[in-house]
Amino acid sequence: MLRAFFIFLSKANWAQKLIMNWRFAWRVASRFVAGINIVDVINVTRDLNAQGLNVTIDHLGENATTAEDTLSATKEVISLLQAIDKYDVRANVSIKLTQFGLNINTDLCKSNLSKIIECAKKTRNFIRIDMEDSSITQETIDLVNWLKGVYPGVGTVIQSYLYRSEQDVLNLTNDCIPIRMVKGAYQESAQVAFPKKNEVDENFDLLTKICLDKIRQCNEPEISDDGRFPPLIAIASHDDLRISNGIDYANQINLSKKNYEIQMLYGIRRDLQKKYAELGYPVRVYVPYGTHWYPYFMRRLAERPANVWFLVSNLFRN
Ligand SMILES: Cc1cc2nc3c(=O)[nH]c(=O)nc-3n(C[C@H](O)[C@H](O)[C@H](O)COP(=O)(O)OP(=O)(O)OC[C@H]3O[C@@H](n4cnc5c(N)ncnc54)[C@H](O)[C@@H]3O)c2cc1C
């Protein structure tokens, strides 16, 4: 119930205005968001790199409604790729297609993506296409396949809560397209998604195994030395059991630690991030920045009631 409510709030304009004007909300949100601009995010990335953690940077924004907004988001991502290159940090970039016009016009989205890919090629970096709600899963996968034909340094995300994901994993791994495995962060109906947490978890383990089994068939099965190009599978979860089940299976089939990576979100389970990095596993932290932090923040609240109580209890203290 609480999860559904916060995901509903993440799309409500009135709630966005209310919460973004409340100064304390930013203080809580900044636990999950690295700052407002490129300078902020490069500084955070440097700190994480110094702790042995790789990074994927996300310029926050989604569901753009004007072509102008998509163009300025495109410019920002190009500047971000250039900054990663200039400051030589161990980071790649994650993007959401609705920030670049997927909801407006596919050609506009393709044109923006072409500019980003051109810059990724020049700066030798990797672009991860995040997965949004199920209404655009197929379009997202179609565009990932199109991009892969233009530049191999592209991957996407699979959500284990969707029934369709097993087939998507088989198709994507046959083409050696890198996958980030997640449980899924949106509100989906039982028509398209497993309603029970244990089913989502079981499917996560199954899909992770399928990816691990395919690693040796792909040309570049290991994470690149500069920490930018990931292997075929990233196990992206803060659920220690999902990670350890993936590692156990990888050990069973004699994969090395560099054949897969572990990903977690900035500000969540830092203890686990540190633990796996110290054990020698490549760990990548997803670091968002920018002024459009509201929907991302609401999804983080939706995932964990304790975050909401922290916010609410401070509301009454202020
Ligand atoms: C690197 C990365 C990229 C992602 N990209 C996408 C994407 O493109 N599309 C998409 O739909 N989803 C994405 N997600 C989100 C994902 O789908 C889940 O919603 C999120 O990771 C929570 O699920 P979990 O696997 O951590 O397991 P859960 O069972 O939800 O959580 C396990 C434990 O992790 C901790 N935890 C989890 N969430 C929080 C939180 N918000 N605050 C504090 N503690 C928490 C708690 O201790 C909890 O008990 C991404 C997640 C990661 C890690």
Side-chain angles (χ1 to χ4, degrees):
M1 280 280 281
L2 198 66
R3 182 171 188 271
F5 178 62
F6 275 90
I7 291 177
F8 160 76
L9 284 188
S10 73
K11 294 180 195 148
N13 285 337
W14 60 267
Q16 172 157 353
K17 279 189 196 130
L18 200 74
I19 290 182
M20 287 191 77
N21 283 331
W22 176 30
R23 211 161 34 92
F24 180 73
W26 165 247
R27 264 170 50 205
V28 180
S30 63
R31 179 188 147 188
F32 306 110
V33 177
I36 298 298
N37 55 38
I38 290 182
V39 175
D40 296 334
V41 80
I42 293 289
N43 284 336
V44 167
T45 300
R46 277 209 186 107
D47 281 354
L48 292 167
N49 285 173
Q51 296 167 46
L53 301 163
N54 296 321
V55 166
T56 185
I57 304 179
D58 167 43
H59 172 239
L60 289 164
E62 52 201 87
N63 294 320
T65 49
T66 67
E68 210 182 347
D69 285 351
T70 71
L71 294 178
S72 69
T74 303
K75 277 192 192 149
E76 176 74 17
V77 170
I78 289 172
S79 303
L80 173 63
L81 282 162
Q82 289 165 343
I84 291 172
D85 198 41
K86 180 171 168 195
Y87 297 106
D88 198 20
V89 285
R90 294 173 68 87
N92 59 35
V93 170
S94 291
I95 61 174
K96 287 188 175 50
L97 293 185
T98 61
Q99 191 181 16
F100 301 94
L102 188 63
N103 286 348
I104 303 173
N105 175 316
T106 310
D107 287 340
L108 170 70
C109 187
K110 278 185 167 177
S111 148
N112 287 329
L113 289 175
S114 299
K115 291 176 197 158
I116 291 171
I117 290 300
E118 200 48 45
C119 184
K121 258 188 213 172
K122 273 195 200 138
T123 55
R124 284 164 291 101
N125 213 331
F126 176 86
I127 305 290
R128 174 83 62 180
I129 311 294
D130 283 354
M131 194 56 81
E132 299 174 70
D133 69 54
S134 65
S135 66
I136 56 163
T137 306
Q138 189 55 50
E139 278 167 290
T140 303
I141 289 182
D142 290 346
L143 279 174
V144 168
N145 283 319
W146 172 75
L147 283 172
K148 186 75 181 178
V150 181
Y151 178 58
V154 173
T156 190
V157 179
I158 288 291
Q159 298 152 324
S160 71
Y161 62 21
L162 293 186
Y163 302 133
R164 59 171 286 160
S165 288
E166 185 170 348
Q167 192 54 51
D168 288 334
V169 164
L170 291 170
N171 297 341
L172 290 164
T173 53
N174 276 340
D175 291 333
C176 296
I177 296 181
I179 290 175
R180 170 198 296 148
M181 190 63 64
V182 302
K183 292 187 186 179
Y186 298 83
Q187 188 63 28
E188 301 290 357
S189 76
Q191 279 168 330
V192 296
F194 293 104
K196 293 191 185 137
K197 182 171 163 37
N198 67 312
E199 295 171 320
V200 177
D201 289 347
E202 273 170 28
N203 202 37
F204 189 104
D205 293 347
L206 170 75
L207 301 182
T208 301
K209 278 184 180 175
I210 297 177
C211 294
L212 291 167
D213 276 331
K214 295 279 184 113
I215 281 173
R216 290 200 179 89
Q217 293 166 26
C218 295
N219 283 339
E220 285 162 43
E222 291 195 348
I223 184 170
S224 66
D225 287 340
D226 59 9
R228 290 181 180 177
F229 292 84
L232 185 68
I233 164 86
I235 305 171
S237 179
H238 315 92
D239 180 344
D240 210 1
L241 193 57
R242 305 284 72 73
I243 302 172
S244 56
N245 284 350
I247 292 178
D248 287 349
Y249 187 69
N251 289 340
Q252 260 178 51
I253 59 170
N254 296 318
L255 291 174
S256 89
K257 288 176 178 169
K258 279 188 150 193
N259 284 142
Y260 52 96
E261 68 177 15
I262 296 163
Q263 293 191 1
M264 293 185 221
L265 300 176
Y266 178 67
I268 300 181
R269 295 300 311 260
R270 292 192 184 107
D271 57 329
L272 271 194
Q273 298 174 13
K274 191 164 172 267
K275 169 182 133 178
Y276 283 108
E278 283 175 0
L279 288 170
Y281 294 96
V283 176
R284 189 180 303 278
V285 182
Y286 182 105
V287 181
Y289 78 99
T291 51
H292 293 281
W293 47 268
Y294 173 78
Y296 179 86
F297 177 47
M298 286 295 118
R299 289 197 291 275
R300 302 296 75 84
L301 292 183
E303 280 155 7
R304 195 158 183 252
N307 294 338
V308 180
W309 302 134
F310 179 63
L311 188 76
V312 171
S313 62
N314 278 279
L315 169 68
F316 293 112
R317 249 183 259 151
N318 273 291

